[in-house]
Amino acid sequence: MADIREVAKRANVSPSTVSRVLGGTTRVVEEKRARVLAAIDELDYRPNVSAQSLKGIRTRTIGLVIPNVRNLVLPAAIRGVEDVARNHGYAVVLCNTDEDSEKEQFYIKTLKSRLIDGFLFTTAKINSHNIKDLQAEGFPVMLLLRELDEQSHAVVLDHYNGAYQATNYLLSRGLKKIGLVNGSLDIKLYDERYAGYRSALKEAGLKVPDEAVVHGIDGGIEAYRAATRILLNRVDIDAFFATSDDKALGVMRAIKDLGLSIPGDISVIGFDNADIALLLDPPLTTVAQPLYEMGAAACQQLIEMIEAKQPVTPQIQRFPAEVVIRNSVK
Amino acid sequence: MADIREVAKRANVSPSTVSRVLGGTTRVVEEKRARVLAAIDELDYRPNVSAQSLKGIRTRTIGLVIPNVRNLVLPAAIRGVEDVARNHGYAVVLCNTDEDSEKEQFYIKTLKSRLIDGFLFTTAKINSHNIKDLQAEGFPVMLLLRELDEQSHAVVLDHYNGAYQATNYLLSRGLKKIGLVNGSLDIKLYDERYAGYRSALKEAGLKVPDEAVVHGIDGGIEAYRAATRILLNRVDIDAFFATSDDKALGVMRAIKDLGLSIPGDISVIGFDNADIALLLDPPLTTVAQPLYEMGAAACQQLIEMIEAKQPVTPQIQRFPAEVVIRNSVK
DNA sequence: AAACCTTTTGAAAACGTTTTCAATTATTTT
DNA sequence: AAAATAATTGAAAACGTTTTCAAAAGGTTT
């Protein structure tokens, strides 16, 4: 690749001038400016990012730290992140941590020495120490699909309201005995979804059917086992609220394997509106998270933080959930 | 972050010496070596990648160019890539092109100015001009899940054999009237899968049921429509071979929507063994691609190319396909 | 103990930029 | 038209490394 000196030579100006037309920091007389632009074009010159970053210029690279790409919901959010990143000339480096603190540590280290401009975390059980440290060092940090505290920027769903709506929708369909297949209560969002579910039941004057409520479920297989157990115990249930679509998938399998029909015998509502929800049998009624939009908003905000002169005050953007009605509820 | 001079000062040596203990290029007397290591540790020093890259040192960053993360099969392959990258201290920047040549061009440009060490392409309809140019410029380029020509390194599946096996499996179950829901023949792998299907039929002395064969299908929705049309035309069929799992999903929906049962009335076999295949109803019999392993192998090979002194001779690694039997075939 | 190799070390140049500073050129004011 | 001011420019230093080169230190051999 051509360097700035070649461009300067060809345009018959000094490297400083070339730098100036690129950076737009100082005016350059129109004639030279045109020559420089022409030379840049002819040589297909692009400034060397390493050299720039050495001078304290942003690298236009962000680190996206997630538990695992191999997941029903993250890819949509990642796409949102990446699309706005690209539109702003940013590149995103992808880091899977499997919620493993050591891998997270490793990535933070390598990313820092790679002079990344900012971090975007989408991990559920994160080592919050890491985040705090990063913030203290002055790195822009954004949280996506999770939140830490009032001091941290985040883009999240209104999980409470989503679960509240889901439960109310079930109730509105005349379903009163609603089991819950939920994730770990240590993860804030599952705690909130649980709260939304309880509120709706309470408002309806119903009490939580404890024998049909299970927490700490991770993934479709565990959900399958949990639902099977509940059903085998002959708990009287007419619907399941699975707090993620992959759990819903497992629950549906369990119901069918026991020879019951959906939604004839038991209704199922999920959470996430993953891409596959539409293609299940029956198509899954679920609570939609605007994943793509949330990813985009988080990235947008992160870039604003990166490019802001002074620190921007922390803000938590809470996106509304929406139940999308398909055929898995009576 | 501390810089090399601070480390040098603290260890009471010159920066050159610090560089030498880090790089391992020259021997350093044990005593100083220990002091340097201690200083590095105390200051939590990590060399600045930009400064290193300016000196021609590798950045340990690779660009992974894919059509879209939001896809049934790619995340598994991406995970494979990323895991071996991490194990070698490499970071991977993710680029979604949507098979759009302009986005691809954009990414190649930004990645080049970011001094990426090598490229990994996983796009089906790629602008091969771009790849050729990159190779000509001396960039290590690796193809994953697709191949270009004998001059390019690639990790691919043996699609022909996979389709051949799938078709033979159907045949072995006594299914003789096998429809095909296939992707675009412009994409090499769909052409090969088609060839495998034809070979199996031919060997069995059967001819291709043209009214039940459709190409150019992209995604579950299109597959749904195609299968519905074939079924509505009362084409006599007892099985469908869908050449990807998302197509299989659409085909299954179509069959069920017409009140037919799987595999009772019509059997279905897919291709890919996506994570969700297991959780469908019925669990989908499909041809497994070792996606994770292929991603890992491609990344391994790319890193070897990057770190090799001289160019390594192009090689195409062809992984075997395997049919995984579940319940969607009689 | 002198002469010679080896090994180990530090100084300085280089990588490709940006930016400060001073010099030059252009413009305005008198 | 000269003086004063403003706009534009180039030279050089700086960013944090690695590496070449030459010097210093340490060992051998005589």
Side-chain angles (χ1 to χ4, degrees):
Chain A
M1 273 265 268
D3 71 4
I4 202 172
R5 284 179 294 241
E6 290 180 56
V7 176
K9 199 168 292 175
R10 178 178 268 254
N12 202 28
V13 295
S14 73
S16 328
T17 301
V18 176
S19 175
R20 282 191 267 254
V21 345
L22 262 102
T25 51
T26 325
R27 292 192 45 76
V28 169
V29 89
E30 188 49 49
E31 184 203 341
K32 296 187 184 179
R33 189 189 160 69
R35 290 210 308 268
V36 168
L37 256 17
I40 287 175
D41 196 49
E42 289 159 20
L43 296 172
D44 191 27
Y45 167 75
R46 308 210 100 211
N48 179 310
V49 171
S50 294
Q52 289 183 313
S53 110
L54 214 43
K55 297 295 297 183
I57 304 281
R58 312 279 56 166
T59 59
R60 289 173 168 259
T61 308
I62 64 176
L64 174 57
V65 184
I66 63 175
N68 194 355
V69 237
R70 220 168 158 173
N71 166 302
L72 251 31
V73 312
L74 287 177
I78 295 173
R79 235 359 252 272
V81 170
E82 217 226 287
D83 281 355
V84 349
R86 176 166 19 77
N87 286 338
H88 289 76
Y90 280 68
V92 1
V93 354
L94 187 73
C95 312
N96 291 276
T97 64
D98 295 314
E99 311 278 11
D100 172 343
S101 193
E102 224 162 297
K103 281 186 195 164
E104 189 175 304
Q105 203 89 29
F106 166 85
Y107 271 124
I108 290 175
K109 264 196 167 181
T110 43
L111 293 183
K112 269 162 61 177
S113 73
R114 244 164 263 261
L115 303 181
I116 236 112
D117 290 342
F119 290 85
L120 198 38
F121 285 94
T122 308
T123 57
K125 293 179 247 173
I126 208 184
N127 180 342
S128 61
H129 188 58
N130 283 343
I131 293 200
K132 287 289 170 198
D133 286 355
L134 240 21
Q135 286 172 333
E137 287 182 71
F139 278 101
V141 175
M142 191 74 208
L143 266 29
L144 171 57
L145 304 185
R146 70 168 299 271
E147 57 193 306
L148 186 58
D149 57 30
E150 295 298 322
Q151 274 65 256
S152 306
H153 300 256
V155 167
V156 295
L157 190 80
D158 188 342
H159 300 287
Y160 172 88
N161 186 258
Y164 178 80
Q165 282 186 59
T167 312
N168 268 341
Y169 174 68
L170 258 17
L171 259 13
S172 78
R173 307 294 299 166
L175 304 161
K176 291 199 158 60
K177 292 163 282 181
I178 305 171
L180 179 74
V181 177
N182 195 26
S184 165
L185 292 179
D186 292 344
I187 300 178
K188 194 169 179 186
L189 77 243
Y190 288 122
D191 196 43
E192 292 175 3
R193 291 179 191 176
Y194 182 37
Y197 160 81
R198 276 177 319 192
S199 288
L201 288 186
K202 189 170 181 186
E203 280 182 20
L206 263 23
K207 70 180 213 306
V208 175
D210 287 318
E211 341 70 69
V213 169
V214 49
H215 303 288
I217 299 301
D218 188 23
I221 314 282
E222 288 187 24
Y224 176 84
R225 294 208 195 97
T228 302
R229 203 173 320 119
I230 291 171
L231 261 12
L232 250 26
N233 284 345
R234 308 216 146 270
V235 178
D236 184 24
I237 266 331
D238 48 28
F240 268 116
F241 176 18
T243 58
S244 71
D245 284 353
D246 61 341
K247 295 185 188 71
L249 222 80
V251 169
M252 285 169 78
R253 276 283 308 284
I255 295 170
K256 291 178 184 175
D257 281 3
L258 292 173
L260 301 169
S261 82
I262 305 170
D265 298 313
I266 297 191
S267 294
V268 176
I269 192 166
F271 206 114
D272 290 338
N273 194 25
D275 291 338
I276 55 144
L278 181 64
L279 294 163
L280 297 180
D281 180 34
L284 182 65
T285 294
T286 186
V287 179
Q289 299 200 54
L291 294 163
Y292 181 92
E293 290 75 14
M294 292 166 82
C299 189
Q300 182 74 41
Q301 169 81 5
L302 179 61
I303 290 174
E304 274 163 28
M305 287 165 68
I306 289 169
E307 294 181 348
K309 314 289 171 236
Q310 63 255 22
V312 349
T313 61
Q315 188 194 340
I316 298 185
Q317 287 183 57
R318 210 170 293 277
F319 276 62
E322 185 188 0
V323 358
V324 352
I325 297 171
R326 290 196 272 251
N327 310 323
S328 64
V329 173
K330 203 182 272 183
Chain B
M1 273 265 269
D3 71 3
I4 200 172
R5 283 177 296 239
E6 290 181 55
V7 176
K9 199 169 293 175
R10 177 178 270 254
N12 203 27
V13 295
S14 72
S16 329
T17 302
V18 176
S19 175
R20 284 190 266 253
V21 345
L22 261 102
T25 51
T26 326
R27 291 193 46 75
V28 168
V29 89
E30 189 49 48
E31 184 202 342
K32 298 189 183 179
R33 188 189 161 69
R35 290 211 307 269
V36 168
L37 257 16
I40 287 175
D41 196 49
E42 288 159 21
L43 297 172
D44 192 28
Y45 167 76
R46 306 210 102 212
N48 179 311
V49 171
S50 295
Q52 288 183 314
S53 110
L54 215 44
K55 296 296 297 182
I57 304 281
R58 313 279 55 167
T59 59
R60 290 173 169 260
T61 308
I62 64 175
L64 174 57
V65 184
I66 62 174
N68 195 354
V69 236
R70 220 167 157 173
N71 166 301
L72 251 32
V73 313
L74 287 177
I78 294 173
R79 235 359 253 271
V81 169
E82 217 227 285
D83 282 355
V84 348
R86 175 168 17 79
N87 286 339
H88 289 76
Y90 280 68
V92 1
V93 354
L94 187 72
C95 311
N96 291 277
T97 64
D98 296 314
E99 312 279 9
D100 172 344
S101 192
E102 225 162 296
K103 282 186 196 166
E104 188 175 304
Q105 203 90 27
F106 165 84
Y107 270 124
I108 289 175
K109 265 195 166 182
T110 43
L111 292 183
K112 268 162 62 177
S113 73
R114 245 163 260 266
L115 303 179
I116 235 110
D117 290 342
F119 289 85
L120 197 37
F121 285 94
T122 308
T123 57
K125 291 180 249 172
I126 209 183
N127 181 342
S128 61
H129 188 58
N130 283 344
I131 294 199
K132 286 289 170 199
D133 286 356
L134 240 22
Q135 286 173 332
E137 286 182 70
F139 277 101
V141 175
M142 191 73 209
L143 266 30
L144 171 57
L145 303 186
R146 69 170 299 274
E147 57 192 304
L148 187 59
D149 57 28
E150 295 298 321
Q151 275 65 255
S152 306
H153 300 255
V155 168
V156 294
L157 190 80
D158 188 341
H159 300 287
Y160 172 88
N161 186 259
Y164 178 80
Q165 281 187 58
T167 312
N168 269 340
Y169 175 67
L170 257 18
L171 260 14
S172 79
R173 307 294 299 169
L175 304 161
K176 291 199 158 58
K177 292 164 281 181
I178 305 173
L180 179 74
V181 177
N182 194 26
S184 165
L185 292 179
D186 292 344
I187 299 177
K188 194 169 179 185
L189 77 243
Y190 288 123
D191 195 44
E192 291 174 2
R193 290 178 191 176
Y194 181 37
Y197 160 82
R198 277 177 319 192
S199 288
L201 288 185
K202 190 170 180 187
E203 280 181 18
L206 263 21
K207 72 178 209 305
V208 175
D210 286 318
E211 340 71 70
V213 169
V214 49
H215 303 289
I217 299 301
D218 188 21
I221 315 282
E222 289 187 26
Y224 176 83
R225 295 208 196 98
T228 302
R229 202 173 320 120
I230 291 172
L231 261 13
L232 250 26
N233 284 345
R234 310 214 144 273
V235 178
D236 184 24
I237 266 328
D238 48 29
F240 269 117
F241 176 17
T243 58
S244 72
D245 284 353
D246 61 342
K247 296 185 188 72
L249 222 78
V251 169
M252 285 168 80
R253 277 283 307 285
I255 294 170
K256 291 179 185 174
D257 282 2
L258 292 173
L260 301 169
S261 82
I262 306 169
D265 297 313
I266 298 191
S267 294
V268 177
I269 192 165
F271 206 113
D272 288 339
N273 195 24
D275 290 338
I276 55 146
L278 181 62
L279 293 164
L280 297 179
D281 179 33
L284 181 66
T285 295
T286 186
V287 179
Q289 298 200 54
L291 293 164
Y292 181 91
E293 290 75 14
M294 291 166 83
C299 188
Q300 182 74 43
Q301 169 82 5
L302 178 61
I303 290 174
E304 274 163 26
M305 286 164 68
I306 289 170
E307 295 181 348
K309 313 291 171 236
Q310 62 255 22
V312 347
T313 61
Q315 188 193 339
I316 298 186
Q317 286 182 57
R318 208 171 294 277
F319 277 62
E322 185 188 358
V323 358
V324 353
I325 297 171
R326 291 197 270 251
N327 310 323
S328 63
V329 173
K330 203 181 271 183

